Amino acid sequence: MFKVFSGIWALLLGIVLIMLGNGMHFTLIGLRGGLEGFSATELAIVTSGYFVGFLSGARLTPSLIRNVGHVRVFAALGSFMSAGLIAFPLLVEPWAWTLLRVLVGFCMSGVYVTAESWLNDASTNATRGKVLSAYMIAQTLGIIGAQGLLTLGDAQTSVLFIGASILVSISFAPILLTVAPAPKTEVTRPMPLRDLFVRSPLGTAGIFLLGTVYATQSGMGPVFGTLIGMTASQISLFIAMLFAGALVFQYPIGWISDRVDRRHLILAASLIAGASCLGGFMAGDALWPLMASAFVAGGMTTPLYALFLAHTNDFLAPEDMPAASGGLVFTFGLGAIIGPLVTGWTMEAAGPFTFWLVLAVTFGAIALYALYRMTQRPGVPASQTDSYLGVIPTASPVAIEAASAWAVEQAETDREGEPAPSAQAGT
C-alpha cells in the first residue's frame, strides 16, 4: 500500500491544492456576486458558463495533449486558470464573469484529463481501485477545505481571489517536478446519446437530471445563502456540508449497491434526497436544519452519480463501456449547464427558497422514472453486475473509463472466488 501511494503522493497533493483554489472560487462567485448586486438569473448564467467550459475541455484536451504533450498542456492550462481567477475582482461585470467562468471551466476540465491520465498510468489492475478512491477523496477534501479558507478573508476585497489563484499556481509544482514520463492519452469517442438512451434509459435520463442537481447545489447554493442573508462563514459551512455528506455516504451506498437491484437503491436515494430538500424548504432560514438538509441532499447526489454509471454499465458489453462513459459525461454536462439557468430564473421569479423546490422536484422526477423503468424490464441480478464505480461528478472521461475497466475486473475476480452453486446449496 505504501509503495502504491509513494508514487502518486505528489499528484494527490497537487489535486488537493487545485481543489482548494477551485472550491474557493466556486463559492466566492455567489458571495461576491451578491455583494455586487448581481441578480439570481445573472449568477445562474455565470454558473452555467463554468460547465460550458468544462464540457468543452473534456472534449478538446485529448487533442491538445496529442499535439503538444502533457506537460505543456498542463502548465498552460494552469497559467490560464490562475490568471482567470485573479481577473474576477478586476472585471466585475456579469458578462465578463461568464467568459472567465468558461475559461476556468475549460482549464479545470483539461487539468482533470491530464492528471487522471498520469494517475491511470501510475496504477496497475491490482492497485487501480485504491488509487482512484484516493484521488476522489483528495478532490472532495480539497473542496471541503476550501470552504474553511473562505472564512480567512473578506469577499468584498480581492484577497480571497488572489489566494485561490496562488493555490492553483503552486499546485502544479509538486506534479510537474515529480511525475513519471507522460503517458499516451486516448479518450474514446462518446457514444451517441440516442444509442446510449436505448441501451440504458434510466442511466441516461437520470444522469442528465443529476447534472442539473449537482450544478444547482454547487453553483447556486452560495447564491441562495447570500439571498437569505447568511454570513460568509455560514455560506461556507453550507457548501462544505453538501460535500461532507458525499464523503460520508459514498462508501455505504456503494457497498449496498453491489448486493441489491441498483434501481431500488436509486429510487431510495432519490426519495431521501427529495425529502431532505423539502425539509430545507420548510426550514426557512433556520441555520442547523438547513445544514442538515444540505448534508443529506449532497450526500445522496454524488453516490447517485456513481450508481447511474454502474447501472448503465450493467447493461453494456465491456467493449462498449468507454464510449458510454464519454456519452454519460457529456449528458451530465448538458444537465449541469441547464440546471442553474432554470434555478436562477425560478429564484428570481418566486424567491430564493425555490432553490430547494427545484431540487426536490428534480429528485422526485428521478425517483418516478426509476419506478417506471422497473416495470419495463427486469433488473440485472446483483451476482451478475459489475462493481460499484466510486467516482464523483467532477471526474473526466479518463477516470471514468479507468473505473469502468476496474469494475469489470473486480466483479470477475469476485465471481471467480465464489463457491460453486452446488457447494452453496450444501452449506
Side-chain angles (χ1 to χ4, degrees), residues 261-310:
D261 185 335
R262 287 189 169 123
R263 297 175 301 178
H264 293 162
L265 193 53
I266 289 170
L267 173 63
S270 301
L271 290 175
I272 292 170
S276 71
C277 291
L278 289 176
F281 176 76
M282 292 185 291
D285 58 1
L287 181 62
W288 292 111
L290 286 176
M291 297 301 169
S293 295
F295 183 83
V296 176
M300 294 297 110
T301 300
T302 294
L304 273 170
Y305 180 77
L307 280 171
F308 284 128
L309 292 176

Side-chain angles (χ1 to χ4, degrees), residues 327-346:
L328 289 171
V329 170
F330 182 75
T331 304
F332 180 86
L334 291 178
I337 293 169
I338 294 170
L341 298 176
V342 173
T343 306
W345 179 80
T346 57

Side-chain angles (χ1 to χ4, degrees), residues 385-407:
T385 61
D386 296 328
S387 295
Y388 176 81
L389 308 178
V391 294
I392 60 179
T394 53
S396 81
V398 173
I400 295 177
E401 287 184 24
S404 296
W406 173 86

Side-chain angles (χ1 to χ4, degrees), residues 298-375:
M300 294 297 110
T301 300
T302 294
L304 273 170
Y305 180 77
L307 280 171
F308 284 128
L309 292 176
H311 171 75
T312 301
N313 283 347
D314 289 340
F315 293 92
L316 297 172
E319 60 269 19
D320 293 329
M321 290 180 184
S325 297
L328 289 171
V329 170
F330 182 75
T331 304
F332 180 86
L334 291 178
I337 293 169
I338 294 170
L341 298 176
V342 173
T343 306
W345 179 80
T346 57
M347 289 172 69
E348 188 161 340
F353 285 97
T354 53
F355 167 81
W356 291 113
L357 289 182
V358 171
L359 291 175
V361 168
T362 308
F363 279 122
I366 293 173
L368 286 174
Y369 194 61
L371 192 61
Y372 166 73
R373 288 304 308 168
M374 290 180 199
T375 68

Side-chain angles (χ1 to χ4, degrees), residues 59-78:
R59 299 291 295 273
L60 298 178
T61 300
S63 298
L64 292 175
I65 291 173
R66 285 193 294 271
N67 290 333
V68 300
H70 277 71
V71 173
R72 290 180 179 177
V73 170
F74 203 61
L77 293 176

Side-chain angles (χ1 to χ4, degrees), residues 30-345:
L31 279 171
R32 182 63 177 269
L35 294 173
E36 296 290 344
F38 291 4
S39 69
T41 300
E42 288 172 334
L43 287 170
I45 294 171
V46 172
T47 297
S48 293
Y50 177 88
F51 294 100
V52 171
F54 195 90
L55 200 57
S56 302
R59 299 291 295 273
L60 298 178
T61 300
S63 298
L64 292 175
I65 291 173
R66 285 193 294 271
N67 290 333
V68 300
H70 277 71
V71 173
R72 290 180 179 177
V73 170
F74 203 61
L77 293 176
S79 299
F80 279 116
M81 183 174 174
S82 182
L85 291 174
I86 211 168
F88 277 101
L90 303 177
L91 301 168
V92 188
E93 293 289 344
W95 65 266
W97 278 22
T98 301
L99 293 178
L100 288 172
R101 288 277 282 181
V102 172
L103 173 65
V104 172
F106 182 93
C107 293
M108 198 67 221
S109 179
V111 165
Y112 285 146
V113 170
T114 311
E116 289 165 8
S117 298
W118 266 312
L119 200 71
N120 190 41
D121 190 65
S123 59
T124 64
N125 291 341
T127 64
R128 185 163 286 112
K130 294 184 179 67
V131 169
L132 286 171
S133 295
Y135 172 67
M136 301 306 168
I137 291 171
Q139 281 200 43
T140 305
L141 290 177
I143 295 173
I144 294 172
Q147 310 313 310
L149 294 179
L150 288 172
T151 63
L152 302 179
D154 185 352
Q156 287 185 303
T157 69
S158 302
V159 172
L160 292 175
F161 286 100
I162 293 171
S165 176
I166 291 172
L167 284 168
V168 170
S169 295
I170 65 175
S171 69
F172 295 95
I175 297 174
L176 293 175
L177 293 175
T178 60
V179 291
K184 183 179 180 180
T185 298
E186 292 291 341
V187 176
T188 306
R189 184 177 180 84
M191 182 180 291
L193 298 187
R194 179 188 177 94
D195 294 347
L196 189 60
F197 184 78
V198 169
R199 302 285 190 92
S200 179
L202 176 58
T204 308
I207 213 160
F208 171 81
L209 292 171
L210 198 70
T212 72
V213 166
Y214 180 81
T216 294
Q217 289 178 344
S218 58
M220 299 304 291
V223 179
F224 164 74
T226 301
L227 291 176
I228 69 168
M230 283 186 182
T231 65
S233 59
Q234 289 171 343
I235 292 173
S236 297
L237 180 60
F238 181 73
I239 301 303
M241 293 298 279
L242 289 169
F243 291 96
L247 204 59
V248 170
F249 288 112
Q250 179 85 297
Y251 177 79
I253 290 178
W255 185 86
I256 296 170
S257 80
D258 288 338
R259 291 160 175 80
V260 301
D261 185 335
R262 287 189 169 123
R263 297 175 301 178
H264 293 162
L265 193 53
I266 289 170
L267 173 63
S270 301
L271 290 175
I272 292 170
S276 71
C277 291
L278 289 176
F281 176 76
M282 292 185 291
D285 58 1
L287 181 62
W288 292 111
L290 286 176
M291 297 301 169
S293 295
F295 183 83
V296 176
M300 294 297 110
T301 300
T302 294
L304 273 170
Y305 180 77
L307 280 171
F308 284 128
L309 292 176
H311 171 75
T312 301
N313 283 347
D314 289 340
F315 293 92
L316 297 172
E319 60 269 19
D320 293 329
M321 290 180 184
S325 297
L328 289 171
V329 170
F330 182 75
T331 304
F332 180 86
L334 291 178
I337 293 169
I338 294 170
L341 298 176
V342 173
T343 306
W345 179 80

